[in-house]
Amino acid sequence: MDAAVLHRRTNMHHECVPPDLVDRLLALGHTEVARGLAVAQDEDWFCARAWARLLAGRGELDEALQVLAPYVGTGWWTAAAEAARLLDTGGRGDEAVAEATAHPEGGRPYAREGLALLLAGEGRPEEAVALLDADRLEQQWALGPLLVELGRVEEAVTLLRTPRPQVPPPQPTGYSDRPPF
């Protein structure tokens, strides 16, 4: 198993059972099918994720983490974030923060929002705010509520009301100013 292959499979829904179908299988009581696909040789991420969530919901958190372990072991952030989420909802938030922080991709901008939410959930909003970048549009929506929680309401309002930069429309060229027909 390789992180790049997992990323491609899940984003393209290629060579895997689509998440909607996995949810439907579980809703109809076909848990053994989902479990079998989750632990099969060619392992299916959506089945593994659903099976791990089911186990965690039953209070079998360690078993759920074992299901996710091969995926986390690839270094794939999506799997590590899911494991951290399960740890957090299972009452092991400090461990979730430690795992996410120690992950090689934990400092990347796309991982910071999830890590900030874990920190805030553990009662560490100051650290969460320090982790997020107000200049990154995708992090502003996570940053605003954290600022409010810290009593910095005016700063949050200013941040969220700041207009987004306008993307200039494409300029016509000799090739694009005529219809293709």
Side-chain angles (χ1 to χ4, degrees), residues 20-76:
D20 296 349
L21 181 55
V22 175
D23 292 342
R24 189 76 179 133
L25 284 168
L26 293 175
L28 294 174
H30 299 290
T31 56
E32 289 306 309
V33 174
R35 187 192 71 74
L37 291 168
V39 298
Q41 182 69 24
D42 61 344
E43 301 166 326
D44 186 285
W45 165 248
F46 295 118
C47 290
R49 182 183 66 181
W51 183 246
R53 287 176 178 176
L54 185 74
L55 289 172
R58 292 179 182 169
E60 302 172 35
L61 182 56
D62 290 329
E63 291 81 2
L65 294 171
Q66 286 177 349
V67 170
L68 297 180
Y71 300 91
V72 175
T74 66
W76 187 39

Side-chain angles (χ1 to χ4, degrees), residues 17-165:
V17 180
D20 296 349
L21 181 55
V22 175
D23 292 342
R24 189 76 179 133
L25 284 168
L26 293 175
L28 294 174
H30 299 290
T31 56
E32 289 306 309
V33 174
R35 187 192 71 74
L37 291 168
V39 298
Q41 182 69 24
D42 61 344
E43 301 166 326
D44 186 285
W45 165 248
F46 295 118
C47 290
R49 182 183 66 181
W51 183 246
R53 287 176 178 176
L54 185 74
L55 289 172
R58 292 179 182 169
E60 302 172 35
L61 182 56
D62 290 329
E63 291 81 2
L65 294 171
Q66 286 177 349
V67 170
L68 297 180
Y71 300 91
V72 175
T74 66
W76 187 39
W77 172 252
T78 303
E82 181 66 23
R85 190 186 73 73
L86 291 179
L87 282 167
D88 187 45
T89 57
R92 292 162 55 181
D94 284 337
E95 189 177 342
V97 169
E99 296 272 333
T101 303
H103 192 275
E105 294 188 45
R108 301 262 190 197
Y110 56 83
R112 286 184 182 162
E113 184 176 340
L115 183 54
L117 294 174
L118 285 173
L119 287 166
E122 286 303 299
R124 297 159 57 182
E126 296 88 6
E127 291 178 62
V129 167
L131 190 65
L132 295 174
D133 183 357
D135 293 331
R136 294 188 67 92
L137 293 175
E138 69 274 10
Q139 293 181 5
Q140 287 178 353
W141 289 103
L143 185 55
L146 292 172
L147 291 170
V148 170
E149 187 177 323
L150 290 172
R152 295 161 52 183
V153 177
E154 289 183 26
E155 188 179 346
V157 169
T158 301
L159 174 71
L160 296 174
R161 291 187 71 190
T162 302
R164 295 179 180 258

